[in-house]
Amino acid sequence: MGAEVDYEREIQELKRNLNAVILAHYYQESEIQDVADFVGDSLALAQAAAKTKADVIVFCGVHFMAETAKILNPGKLVLLPDLKAGCSLSDRCPPVAFRAFKEKHPDHFVVSYVNSSAAVKAMSDVICTSSNAVKIVNQIPKDRRILFAPDQHLGRYVMKQTGRDMVLWPGSCIVHEIFSEKRLVQLKVQHPEAEVVAHPECEEAVLRHADYIGSTKGLLDHVLKSPKREFIVVTEAGILHQMKRGAPEKTFIPAPPDNGCSCNECPYMRLNTMEKLYRCMKDKTPELTLPADLQAAALAPLQRMLEWSQ
């Protein structure tokens, strides 16, 4: 048996040697969040990727996030600890089917959620995240009809907030669609003083019980500022790590899904581990690559998102 690897120390050393930056999403395991240079939601991670001066970007998230980093940094090495770390939303919007859907609505302005493949982004007019979706849609000329993909629940939420009618691609996230309204109500009865905070990817039946609806970053900011001491959190459980770090005196209760589990974790996000992060930096693989023409086509709508988000 060899000596056990001190992954945190080794990763820090590799980071210096590679001139690398580690970007991690809030839904990563806590150890990865703690070793990352930057932890954020999809918008903040895209903004960080666009600004980085590092030679190597190590993306601890899922495939579409690493694609976004590569599109914004075509000349940099982009590493993803596990290439199998996909996304149910992205998978449920195949580019061929999306092209056919788009052709049925040829005069529509296409807004695609960042949780989509590079090929779908390339067919879009602008990209959005849950943090900026309302802001993005509000900037589209009122005389333009809108097609929104791929999350129908986020789309409905944006329609309510903006008053804009949109054609919605019928997609959803496996993590957020399985929250149980019945179990949430039971939890509210058990914790009558708790504030319910929820992500807009959740189904409408769940969102109607929320006291606050917002993006992952929005939820984090809200619970840190709120005078409340107890919260029921209706999103991926990884965000609880940052909530507890920011407000250790408060209580955070993960809302249970309707699958017999008491917590809700994204199986794709959790494919990344400290060991895989260490090995991908040590071996400089797996690398995220994209065809040059696809990168170029997807860059314009991403840049428009960054400009409209300022």
Side-chain angles (χ1 to χ4, degrees):
M1 293 285 289
E4 194 169 307
V5 178
D6 183 341
Y7 290 123
E8 186 173 351
R9 183 175 63 80
E10 293 292 334
I11 287 166
Q12 295 292 359
E13 186 173 339
L14 284 165
K15 190 165 61 175
R16 288 190 292 272
N17 294 340
L18 294 170
N19 185 28
V21 63
I22 300 175
L23 306 179
H25 193 272
Y26 288 126
Y27 296 167
Q28 292 293 285
E29 63 179 45
S30 58
E31 292 83 2
I32 288 178
Q33 292 187 43
D34 290 343
V35 80
D37 298 290
F38 188 88
V39 182
D41 62 4
S42 297
L43 175 60
L45 292 171
Q47 291 169 329
K51 294 173 185 173
T52 187
K53 299 288 192 266
D55 296 319
V56 179
I57 300 171
V58 187
F59 218 115
C60 296
V62 292
H63 200 273
F64 77 79
M65 296 177 179
E67 282 187 338
T68 298
K70 185 64 177 179
I71 292 163
L72 294 169
N73 297 275
K76 295 184 188 290
L77 178 67
V78 176
L79 302 174
L80 184 65
D82 193 327
L83 283 178
K84 298 189 190 73
C87 169
S88 58
L89 255 177
S90 181
D91 291 346
R92 291 172 173 183
C93 189
V96 172
F98 183 70
R99 184 178 297 280
F101 187 75
K102 182 184 171 185
E103 286 171 355
K104 292 178 181 177
H105 309 279
D107 56 344
H108 285 57
F109 191 92
V110 180
V111 182
S112 287
Y113 192 25
V114 71
N115 299 43
S116 57
S117 66
V120 167
K121 288 182 175 71
M123 288 184 264
S124 308
D125 294 298
V126 68
I127 309 305
C128 75
T129 72
S130 54
S131 288
N132 65 14
V134 170
K135 186 175 185 178
I136 294 292
V137 169
N138 275 332
Q139 292 178 74
I140 299 170
K142 293 290 189 283
D143 61 344
R144 294 299 306 271
R145 290 190 280 186
I146 301 171
L147 187 160
F148 188 94
D151 192 283
Q152 60 182 316
H153 303 305
L154 177 61
R156 288 194 191 96
Y157 173 77
V158 172
M159 285 169 65
K160 280 188 172 181
Q161 298 301 307
T162 62
R164 299 293 296 270
D165 189 30
M166 302 192 299
V167 173
L168 305 178
W169 174 270
S172 56
C173 163
I174 60 168
V175 174
H176 290 97
E177 73 181 353
I178 61 171
F179 282 113
S180 164
E181 181 188 14
K182 179 182 176 182
R183 296 183 73 185
L184 176 58
V185 170
Q186 291 170 341
L187 207 55
K188 287 180 69 173
V189 171
Q190 294 166 12
H191 302 273
E193 297 301 314
E195 190 172 35
V196 178
V197 298
H199 194 282
E201 285 181 28
C202 296
E203 293 182 341
E204 202 165 10
V206 168
L207 291 180
R208 69 183 176 210
H209 297 285
D211 300 298
Y212 177 84
I213 300 169
S215 67
T216 319
K217 178 66 162 57
L219 298 181
L220 176 60
D221 290 345
H222 177 78
V223 301
L224 296 184
K225 290 185 292 188
S226 173
K228 288 279 189 174
R229 312 294 289 177
E230 193 173 30
F231 300 87
I232 297 170
V233 183
V234 196
T235 190
E236 212 274 358
I239 189 61
L240 269 66
H241 179 60
Q242 295 296 327
M243 291 177 172
K244 290 171 183 174
R245 284 184 66 176
E249 75 284 1
K250 296 183 179 181
T251 301
F252 302 101
I253 306 155
D258 197 18
N259 61 0
C261 176
S262 61
C263 61
N264 208 0
E265 297 179 349
C266 173
Y268 299 105
M269 287 281 188
R270 301 311 167 114
L271 287 176
N272 296 318
T273 64
M274 287 288 280
E275 181 180 356
K276 288 178 184 176
L277 172 57
Y278 160 69
R279 294 198 182 283
C280 97
M281 294 178 72
K282 182 172 179 286
D283 301 332
K284 292 195 266 191
T285 186
E287 178 185 358
L288 193 289
T289 59
L290 289 169
D293 58 341
L294 179 57
Q295 286 184 195
L299 180 59
L302 270 170
Q303 286 181 324
R304 185 171 288 129
M305 176 190 78
L306 294 173
E307 289 165 9
W308 288 12
S309 299
Q310 290 175 2

